[in-house]
Amino acid sequence: MRLTIWGCRGSVPTPGPDTFRYGGNTSCVEVSLDDGTILVLDAGTGIRALGFDLLERGAQRVHLLLTHLHLDHLEGLRFFAPLWDERVTLDVWGPPSPVSSLQERIARSFSPPLFPIDLREVPAQVTFHDVPREPWTVDGTRLVADLVAHPGPTVGFRIETATSSFAYLPDHEPALAGIADRSRDWISGAVIAEDVDLLLHDAQYFEDEYEERIGWGHSSVADAVAFAQVVAARRLVLFHHEPLHTDGSLERLEARARSLADGNEDWSALAREGMVIELP
Amino acid sequence: MGKPRSKHLVLILAREFASNLATPTLITDERGWLVFYNEAAEAIFGRAFSEVVEMPLEEWTARFEPRTLESEPLPLERRPSGIALYERRAAHERFRITSVDGVEREVSVTAFPLFAHADELVGTVTIFWRE
């Protein structure tokens, strides 16, 4: 399993010299499996560059897994080159809503006044799927989705091969429902992340910033570390960077995470655009 | 690499909500198993939830001998919790119980079902009102 981070910024794109090292594109992670299967996690602006790369590589089948439909996780989809290629088959998986279908909700962003071209007119063969309530497989890879604490229907994803596991919780506020002093089955997102080899988790805020933003759906670095420790993740990557955080701020946040983890420098790291992580 | 399911997010959030209430509140899952009651409910049930294991609500409540105001036995399906669970609708009722300290109490109870989707019952909430 090979992960490539194409965007790790939260909330809004932040291009510029202050965000050059860690990147300004919003959430998008590519997961490439040994058998050629391509999973794309979220469609923030990072998906635009990924799309061109996938076409160059000749990819004709892509699975897009959407954690939720907030703009910073969807805004790049309209500019995802494979969507505009009739040879491509795109399966879009996302959280069910009690109100309308996944396709109907995504179609809103492909309609006036937001966009000139209707979703029905895209050339690719697109199929929309509500994520199943039970684990399912895509080309032999086991996937698990579960609702997590974040405003609106939002899921986290767990991806498992025979030899490794990876959890993706980019927008998650487990502290809102409690992390400490309870069994794992009472912790939001724990079933997704327990015992994984790699956890990409929301760490948008420093602790004092979080105190002013409780209920916004994101985590402090301390809560990200506490969650990762409770679920026994073997490695933590801090994700969904606060738009106000410069590269220097982010490096202080990373240092804070490492101090919270007893100085263990190998266990946690900042997500960075262009970062590639190989799992066995 | 099979993993057990966690509690549904709606139950997790309901528990956190209840744990911050001063009103005695009890939560069951979709099977009707008692999965949580808050600190305020300890006065009614006589022990902390941490001392209790998850069990069917019917089994848990039997020890309190719920009965009508006319002292007729009141089975679960006629109590608000049972109506919320089996009929999937809100209900309110006054009835009598005997607390673990042996004191007979008249309680006023509201219960309602928790739906994650129109067809997906994930649990119930029962609230005990002080009057």
Side-chain angles (χ1 to χ4, degrees):
Chain A
M1 182 155 39
R2 176 187 167 97
L3 279 68
T4 307
I5 294 176
W6 294 85
C8 48
R9 186 66 53 173
S11 307
V12 70
T14 55
D18 290 341
T19 58
F20 182 76
R21 286 201 294 282
Y22 297 96
N25 279 301
T26 51
S27 299
C28 182
V29 176
E30 176 192 2
V31 180
S32 297
L33 302 167
D34 292 342
D35 64 358
T37 299
I38 295 166
L39 308 174
V40 178
L41 295 161
D42 279 331
T45 58
I47 202 172
R48 182 173 170 273
L50 168 60
F52 296 127
D53 197 70
L54 287 174
L55 288 188
E56 268 193 31
R57 286 187 256 154
Q60 294 195 353
R61 178 80 190 268
V62 177
H63 293 272
L64 173 61
L65 310 177
L66 298 171
T67 55
H68 62 308
L69 304 185
H70 285 165
L71 270 182
D72 54 327
H73 295 255
L74 188 65
E75 62 195 326
L77 181 60
R78 293 164 294 193
F79 304 95
F80 183 48
L83 195 63
W84 304 98
D85 188 322
E86 62 186 12
R87 295 168 300 174
V88 172
T89 299
L90 178 65
D91 287 275
V92 182
W93 303 81
S97 154
V99 180
S100 54
S101 73
L102 182 64
Q103 181 170 352
E104 288 168 342
R105 282 173 288 145
I106 290 175
R108 290 181 198 164
S109 67
F110 283 78
S111 63
L114 299 176
F115 200 63
I117 302 171
D118 193 282
L119 183 60
R120 289 169 298 191
E121 298 174 43
V122 304
Q125 313 306 308
V126 186
T127 308
F128 295 89
H129 313 266
D130 285 349
V131 293
R133 294 174 188 171
E134 299 300 322
W136 78 107
T137 58
V138 168
D139 298 340
T141 300
R142 186 173 187 267
L143 303 178
V144 184
D146 200 20
L147 290 168
V148 297
H150 186 70
T154 304
V155 295
F157 288 106
R158 179 186 183 97
I159 300 172
E160 293 177 349
T161 66
T163 54
S164 57
S165 56
F166 160 60
Y168 179 68
L169 292 158
D171 290 48
H172 188 210
E173 190 179 5
L176 198 62
I179 299 173
D181 305 324
R182 60 190 60 203
S183 59
R184 281 186 189 173
D185 62 338
W186 278 105
I187 299 172
S188 169
V191 75
I192 293 294
E194 58 187 346
D195 303 316
V196 283
D197 296 309
L198 178 70
L199 168 63
L200 258 66
H201 195 278
D202 186 333
Q204 184 150 340
Y205 304 125
F206 288 99
E207 289 101 307
D208 60 336
E209 293 174 323
Y210 177 68
E211 291 302 314
E212 302 295 319
R213 295 165 175 82
I214 292 171
W216 288 23
H218 300 290
S219 286
S220 71
V221 60
D223 289 333
V225 168
F227 177 80
Q229 289 175 328
V230 163
V231 299
R234 282 182 272 284
R235 189 175 170 196
L236 169 66
V237 171
L238 308 165
F239 198 84
H240 209 267
H241 304 321
E242 160 63 35
L244 292 171
H245 288 175
T246 62
D247 289 336
S249 303
L250 289 175
E251 284 162 5
R252 287 193 293 279
L253 189 130
E254 182 181 55
R256 176 66 181 147
R258 289 174 174 175
S259 72
L260 288 163
D262 299 324
N264 185 343
E265 298 216 344
D266 297 327
W267 182 69
S268 65
L270 286 170
R272 174 177 49 78
E273 218 168 289
M275 185 182 216
V276 175
I277 302 169
E278 301 271 4
L279 294 175
Chain B
M1 285 199 256
K3 302 288 177 190
R5 297 293 292 177
S6 68
K7 298 289 188 293
H8 195 286
L9 179 66
V10 170
L11 284 185
I12 292 174
L13 294 173
R15 173 182 171 150
E16 190 61 19
F17 172 63
S19 67
N20 284 283
L21 290 180
T23 311
T25 303
L26 175 154
I27 297 170
T28 76
D29 65 13
E30 81 287 358
R31 304 167 299 168
W33 280 49
L34 172 69
V35 292
F36 180 72
Y37 60 75
N38 63 5
E39 205 173 328
E42 291 175 7
I44 296 172
F45 299 138
R47 65 176 69 174
F49 184 71
S50 58
E51 301 168 30
V52 177
V53 295
E54 292 184 9
M55 66 172 74
L57 186 64
E58 190 158 18
E59 186 181 328
W60 166 250
T61 53
R63 69 191 67 186
F64 304 108
E65 301 171 14
R67 53 201 178 277
T68 66
L69 298 180
E70 291 75 38
S71 295
E72 295 294 322
L74 191 60
L76 178 62
E77 61 269 21
R78 287 176 49 207
R79 298 200 300 271
S81 301
I83 292 169
L85 182 67
Y86 300 127
E87 300 182 33
R88 301 187 169 200
R89 62 181 175 87
H92 181 84
E93 189 66 75
R94 288 170 66 88
F95 55 93
R96 289 197 176 112
I97 60 170
T98 302
S99 296
V100 288
D101 55 9
V103 175
E104 182 174 281
R105 287 188 164 89
E106 198 169 296
V107 291
S108 184
V109 174
T110 301
F112 55 89
L114 295 171
F115 290 103
H117 293 276
D119 63 342
E120 187 186 10
L121 178 80
V122 296
T124 68
V125 173
T126 301
I127 298 171
F128 296 76
W129 303 106
R130 293 191 177 101
E131 295 182 339

